[in-house]
Amino acid sequence: MGCDGGTIPRRDELVKVKKKPEAKDKDSELIFHWRYCAVTQQLLQNPIVMCGLGKLYNKISLIEALLNRETMPKSTLHIKSLKDIKDLNLTPNPVYKDDEKKDGGSDGRAAPYICPVIGLEMSGKFRFVALWSCGCVFSERALKEIATKNCHKCQKPFTNEDVVILNGNEEDMILMKQRMELRQQKHKKNREKKIKVEIATTSANTSSMKVDSDSKQSIKKITSLNSTKRPGSLKEATHDAKKMKPSYSVAKDPKVTDVYKSIFTTHESEKQQNRAHW
């Protein structure tokens, strides 16, 4: 059967054994998640952003992917606009050397970023979190040990919904998805409330402008009426009262013209004539 010549077959050559699944290199996997972009698999470079699920991206690469959605993988379809990502405020590691920056630090000697509170390296061996309210990044141990509702780095207040676990496990992904939906609902409510306030403010301003315009128009009417009545009103009344007196004479009235005075017999031109007049 082909075994002549002293050939001794092995058991794995005669019996088909179920192959074991290929074991993943944990160190390589950690380096991939923490030092490379989740969209383009390129080395992470500033500015670095995260999504609501805690994945890390190069901001420029993600913007290019949003412009051409066909190139985006299925794991990033929850990112629809720049509102769904957050710029990260990372703390550089002073031990991380320039030669490691060039080749990506594949030897794992030092991580490019550290926790600003207790100094742990952000290499994947320790759990790290980021705050959606300010974008600051620090270790989960620092968040638990220093129980406060203000950011450890910038002192900005935050809530439990703002805490995003970076590169978490499957249980963390479920929790991050719930918190992402809660933030979106909260943002939507705040936006609707802001629109209502703006509409109410605009309507109040327009009504006040109408009242002011109406009051201005009424004031203008009153002033115009007063201005038409005021000039010479007392003088005219006094002059009319003088006309009603029996001692009034047209010839002595300074406001009457000479042409009008010549009609009456009291005028000098009528007095000098020889004809009779009655």
Side-chain angles (χ1 to χ4, degrees):
M1 297 296 292
C3 292
D4 54 343
T7 303
I8 301 174
R10 296 191 302 273
R11 183 177 183 277
D12 58 349
E13 293 178 352
L14 299 175
V15 182
K16 292 183 179 180
V17 183
K18 186 178 180 180
K19 294 182 178 180
K20 295 181 180 180
E22 185 179 356
K24 295 181 180 179
D25 186 1
K26 294 183 178 180
D27 294 335
S28 300
E29 187 178 3
L30 290 176
I31 291 172
F32 173 76
H33 286 300
W34 290 92
R35 300 194 186 183
Y36 290 87
C37 176
V39 175
T40 59
Q41 287 76 47
Q42 295 178 355
L43 189 66
L44 287 172
Q45 296 177 354
N46 287 321
I48 301 173
V49 297
M50 71 170 178
C51 64
L53 301 179
K55 301 296 182 181
L56 303 178
Y57 310 89
N58 285 326
K59 188 174 184 178
I60 298 174
S61 301
L62 189 59
I63 292 173
E64 293 176 352
L66 287 173
L67 295 175
N68 187 12
R69 288 187 170 274
E70 296 178 356
T71 60
M72 293 183 66
K74 293 182 179 180
S75 59
T76 58
L77 293 178
H78 61 282
I79 303 175
K80 298 179 181 179
S81 65
L82 294 178
K83 294 180 181 179
D84 298 327
I85 61 175
K86 187 69 177 181
D87 293 344
L88 294 181
N89 184 11
L90 297 164
T91 304
N93 187 1
V95 183
Y96 189 60
K97 299 178 181 180
D98 295 335
D99 55 352
E100 293 178 346
K101 294 180 182 178
K102 293 178 182 179
D103 58 3
S106 57
D107 55 358
R109 287 179 294 179
Y113 304 103
I114 60 172
C115 172
V117 182
I118 56 179
L120 292 177
E121 291 187 351
M122 198 175 76
S123 59
K125 296 180 180 179
F126 306 97
R127 289 166 64 88
F128 270 69
V129 298
L131 299 180
W132 193 266
S133 57
C134 59
C136 294
V137 179
F138 43 86
S139 62
E140 189 180 42
R141 186 185 299 179
L143 180 66
K144 292 180 179 179
E145 290 181 357
I146 306 174
T148 179
K149 290 301 180 181
N150 293 332
C151 176
H152 302 331
K153 190 172 183 180
C154 66
Q155 301 303 317
K156 187 175 181 180
F158 66 92
T159 60
N160 293 331
E161 299 173 1
D162 296 327
V163 179
V164 180
I165 300 173
L166 299 178
N167 293 321
N169 52 30
E170 294 180 357
E171 295 179 358
D172 296 332
M173 294 289 286
I174 296 172
L175 179 61
M176 293 304 100
K177 189 175 182 180
Q178 294 175 355
R179 290 182 179 180
M180 181 177 65
E181 293 175 352
L182 290 174
R183 286 194 302 269
Q184 290 175 354
Q185 293 176 1
K186 186 177 180 181
H187 177 72
K188 187 177 180 181
K189 290 181 180 179
N190 292 336
R191 186 178 179 184
E192 292 177 353
K193 185 177 180 181
K194 186 178 179 181
I195 292 172
K196 289 181 181 179
V197 171
E198 290 178 354
I199 293 172
T201 306
T202 305
S203 60
N205 291 334
T206 52
S207 60
S208 62
M209 289 174 65
K210 288 182 180 179
V211 171
D212 293 339
S213 62
D214 294 339
S215 60
K216 287 180 181 179
Q217 289 179 359
S218 60
I219 291 170
K220 286 181 179 179
K221 288 181 180 179
I222 294 170
T223 53
S224 62
L225 291 173
N226 292 334
S227 62
T228 52
K229 291 181 180 180
R230 281 179 184 174
S233 59
L234 295 174
K235 293 181 180 179
E236 290 176 358
T238 307
H239 187 260
D240 294 337
K242 287 182 179 180
K243 286 183 179 181
M244 298 299 292
K245 293 181 179 181
S247 61
Y248 174 75
S249 175
V250 177
K252 296 179 180 180
D253 193 349
K255 292 187 176 182
V256 180
T257 60
D258 292 337
V259 178
Y260 182 71
K261 290 179 181 180
S262 63
I263 300 173
F264 299 93
T265 56
T266 55
H267 195 261
E268 295 295 333
S269 60
E270 292 294 331
K271 290 180 181 180
Q272 292 176 4
Q273 292 183 5
N274 298 323
R275 60 182 177 81
H277 57 277
W278 293 270

